Amino acid sequence: VNYPIIGVFDSGFGGLTVLRALEEQIPQAQFLYIGDTARLPYGSKSRTTIARYAVSSARFLVDQGAQFLVIACNTASALALDAIRASVPVPVLGVIEPGAERARANSATKDVLVLATSATVESQAYSQACHDRGLRAHEKACPLLVPLVEEGWIDHSVTRQVISIYMEELEREARAADLCPDTLVLGCTHYPLLRGLMEQAVKPGIRVIDSAEATAAEAIHCFALEGERGDIPAVRSHFYATDSVEKFRRLGSQFLARELDEVRLVDLGG
Amino acid sequence: VNYPIIGVFDSGFGGLTVLRALEEQIPQAQFLYIGDTARLPYGSKSRTTIARYAVSSARFLVDQGAQFLVIACNTASALALDAIRASVPVPVLGVIEPGAERARANSATKDVLVLATSATVESQAYSQACHDRGLRAHEKACPLLVPLVEEGWIDHSVTRQVISIYMEELEREARAADLCPDTLVLGCTHYPLLRGLMEQAVKPGIRVIDSAEATAAEAIHCFALEGERGDIPAVRSHFYATDSVEKFRRLGSQFLARELDEVRLVDLGG
């Protein structure tokens, strides 16, 4: 084949928002997506276990022909990126650094807010990545947002209220920490589906950064795909899941904003 | 010792609502509670894996001296009760049969509604247990209720709205299925914390059955503890968890409606 093949890995469906951004921004590539749905959620597992799971998915994608890997999972990006890089012979990009880098490029005040899951917040990966770039970050866990998205309540009055409650708490906490934020990073792959509601809920002057989009843009540079043109792949993306392919197709189409082609079941072992 | 020792098992904290009911209804017993928090949630795992996990927790409780076991976890009750019974030499009670049995005793129309998690609904365990008792059951998955309880939004306007939305859908589905329900079973160990809101949300004439309470009442008969009197245990309940004991104490007190005594960390292996 004469086009780049990019492997995309997540513990579930959320990473499909990253795939969506990749498909939009890198039209000449083919994608292999694996959702390790049998072993999700990763958030409650130990670093060792997460690394073992993530490495097995990464190796699977490389075995299928992936020349580059995007780790479209905040938990695995936070806890297993080094382990993955050490175990596969291709370039690997996570979702956290690109989000933090875009926040740095955007922020004038150098004060940044991050919304994420409890596991991502506890890992402090965004705070660290922001700190490395001279930013002060305040992170907040929003445990209700993933269930609301998975329930399909994307444009729903309840979701609007929950976001407004989280946002008020976030702004109160930021004031108490003496921050003057002008940037909000969506640090969970489910949150791009709530981007519109988030933009309505933030105070004027705060820009919302979608880490899925930032990751896709960064992938072009990181994998040196600028200007690369070749064949157009016949199939845009291939999908693999480690549990119910039917459920994957049904839930996945919401994240990808289109119907999924065939999803293949894969057994990665225990 | 001269008092009954009852082991109580759940994948997490929810089973503490069952422990609370047991403590209230069986004052002469001591309890050993284990939350397999390192491996939760069980809902997304296969029957084989759930049985293996549940059996290791059940054996642990028996090794610690439990003479009776309550499986205070809907998923394990639905999928692993036989495996547990086959692997320990003590009487074992799950949470599903007592809930269904109390529904039978209450219902005049013989039409019953059940609210539960997606995993419990997919197992069809309540439908089967109701069917065995001559009841028709309509089950509904309510994926937002566990996260709302775990977020601590117990008496919150958002939770009230979510319950009212689920309840409207449930009643519409029941009408479409030509049912005339007079009983609503709370088929998840988190839901007793929402019992007040549920009772406000149901139509007049529908009684809410708390399966935690029903299980505690059934335990007295099942374990033949009527009239048994002996020593009063010095410590009411001992707590074990397979992950962060600090988090267990913090979240657990909400479910138990009191502070937890010491929580001990246990390693049950992979």
Side-chain angles (χ1 to χ4, degrees):
Chain A
V1 297
N2 193 22
Y3 45 78
I5 302 179
I6 301 176
V8 182
F9 157 65
D10 183 28
S11 57
F13 317 98
L16 290 169
T17 60
V18 180
L19 177 63
R20 182 185 175 185
L22 287 162
E23 285 188 348
E24 281 170 13
Q25 295 192 38
I26 315 181
Q28 77 276 24
Q30 187 175 68
F31 301 94
L32 311 177
Y33 183 98
I34 184 163
D36 189 11
T37 44
R39 305 193 285 201
L40 67 79
Y42 281 16
S44 52
K45 296 183 173 65
S46 71
R47 179 186 287 262
T48 314
T49 301
I50 290 165
R52 184 158 53 86
Y53 289 175
V55 162
S56 66
S57 283
R59 285 198 175 126
F60 170 80
L61 290 170
V62 172
D63 289 346
Q64 300 304 305
Q67 301 150 336
F68 311 94
L69 287 187
V70 174
I71 308 307
C73 168
N74 278 280
T75 305
S77 295
L79 300 175
L81 207 56
D82 290 341
I84 296 168
R85 285 185 170 141
S87 65
V88 292
V90 304
V92 179
L93 179 66
V95 281
I96 289 170
E97 305 278 319
E101 184 54 31
R102 187 168 281 197
R104 188 203 56 73
N106 180 68
S107 180
T109 64
K110 301 300 166 199
D111 288 345
V112 168
L113 304 172
V114 181
L115 296 183
T117 63
S118 304
T120 300
V121 170
E122 280 164 26
S123 78
Q124 300 189 297
Y126 276 99
S127 288
Q128 186 62 51
C130 287
H131 180 81
D132 292 348
R133 289 165 175 79
L135 305 172
R136 294 194 301 172
H138 179 73
E139 297 188 70
K140 183 171 180 62
C142 304
L144 291 170
L145 297 184
V146 166
L148 283 165
V149 168
E150 294 193 342
E151 187 69 323
W153 293 14
I154 304 296
D155 185 23
H156 193 290
S157 72
V158 164
T159 308
R160 204 167 283 124
Q161 289 169 61
V162 170
I163 287 174
S164 125
I165 291 168
Y166 281 142
M167 213 64 92
E168 276 167 34
E169 290 175 3
L170 182 65
E171 282 165 11
R172 196 165 49 239
E173 291 161 11
R175 268 197 307 279
D178 221 18
L179 298 182
C180 183
D182 62 356
T183 307
L184 171 70
V185 178
L186 305 186
C188 169
T189 53
H190 281 61
Y191 297 176
L193 281 79
L194 304 175
R195 185 177 175 167
L197 295 189
M198 295 281 190
E199 286 174 337
Q200 289 164 29
V202 292
K203 274 208 280 202
I206 295 190
R207 180 154 163 222
V208 176
I209 303 279
D210 174 345
S211 61
E213 233 179 63
T215 301
E218 178 61 22
I220 298 175
H221 301 292
C222 176
F223 303 153
L225 301 176
E226 295 95 345
E228 194 172 317
R229 288 288 174 273
D231 303 341
I232 295 293
V235 177
R236 203 61 226 283
S237 295
H238 293 284
F239 300 95
Y240 305 89
T242 56
D243 200 358
S244 170
V245 295
E246 192 278 318
K247 188 175 170 194
F248 191 92
R249 284 201 60 187
R250 185 163 38 82
L251 285 179
S253 63
Q254 182 168 293
F255 291 86
L256 195 58
R258 67 168 172 86
E259 289 303 301
L260 274 69
D261 320 303
E262 184 196 5
V263 180
R264 274 170 269 197
L265 186 66
V266 181
D267 183 1
L268 296 177
Chain B
V1 298
N2 194 21
Y3 46 79
I5 302 179
I6 300 176
V8 182
F9 158 65
D10 183 28
S11 57
F13 316 99
L16 290 169
T17 60
V18 180
L19 177 64
R20 181 184 175 184
L22 286 162
E23 285 188 349
E24 279 170 14
Q25 294 192 39
I26 315 181
Q28 77 276 23
Q30 187 175 69
F31 301 94
L32 312 177
Y33 183 99
I34 185 163
D36 189 10
T37 44
R39 305 192 286 200
L40 68 79
Y42 281 16
S44 51
K45 298 184 172 66
S46 71
R47 179 186 288 262
T48 314
T49 301
I50 290 165
R52 184 159 54 87
Y53 288 175
V55 163
S56 67
S57 283
R59 286 198 175 127
F60 170 80
L61 290 170
V62 172
D63 288 345
Q64 301 303 306
Q67 302 149 338
F68 311 94
L69 287 187
V70 174
I71 308 306
C73 169
N74 278 281
T75 305
S77 294
L79 300 176
L81 207 57
D82 290 341
I84 297 168
R85 284 187 171 138
S87 66
V88 292
V90 305
V92 179
L93 179 67
V95 282
I96 289 169
E97 306 277 319
E101 183 54 30
R102 187 168 281 197
R104 188 203 55 73
N106 179 68
S107 180
T109 63
K110 301 299 165 200
D111 288 344
V112 169
L113 304 172
V114 181
L115 296 182
T117 63
S118 304
T120 301
V121 170
E122 279 163 27
S123 78
Q124 300 190 298
Y126 275 100
S127 288
Q128 186 61 50
C130 286
H131 180 81
D132 292 348
R133 289 166 175 78
L135 304 173
R136 294 194 301 173
H138 179 73
E139 297 188 71
K140 183 171 180 60
C142 304
L144 292 170
L145 297 185
V146 166
L148 283 164
V149 168
E150 294 193 343
E151 187 69 323
W153 293 15
I154 304 296
D155 185 23
H156 194 291
S157 71
V158 164
T159 308
R160 204 168 283 124
Q161 289 169 62
V162 170
I163 287 175
S164 127
I165 291 168
Y166 281 143
M167 213 64 92
E168 276 166 33
E169 291 175 3
L170 183 64
E171 282 166 10
R172 196 165 50 238
E173 291 161 10
R175 268 198 308 279
D178 221 18
L179 298 182
C180 184
D182 61 356
T183 306
L184 171 70
V185 178
L186 304 185
C188 169
T189 53
H190 281 60
Y191 297 176
L193 280 80
L194 303 174
R195 184 177 176 167
L197 294 188
M198 295 280 191
E199 285 174 337
Q200 288 164 29
V202 292
K203 275 207 281 200
I206 295 191
R207 180 155 164 222
V208 175
I209 304 279
D210 174 345
S211 62
E213 232 180 64
T215 301
E218 178 62 22
I220 298 174
H221 301 294
C222 175
F223 303 154
L225 300 175
E226 295 95 344
E228 193 173 315
R229 287 288 175 272
D231 302 341
I232 296 294
V235 177
R236 203 61 226 284
S237 294
H238 293 283
F239 300 95
Y240 305 90
T242 57
D243 198 357
S244 172
V245 296
E246 191 278 319
K247 188 174 171 195
F248 191 93
R249 286 201 59 185
R250 186 162 38 83
L251 286 178
S253 62
Q254 182 169 294
F255 291 86
L256 196 58
R258 67 169 172 88
E259 290 302 301
L260 274 71
D261 319 304
E262 185 196 4
V263 180
R264 274 170 270 197
L265 185 66
V266 180
D267 182 1
L268 296 177

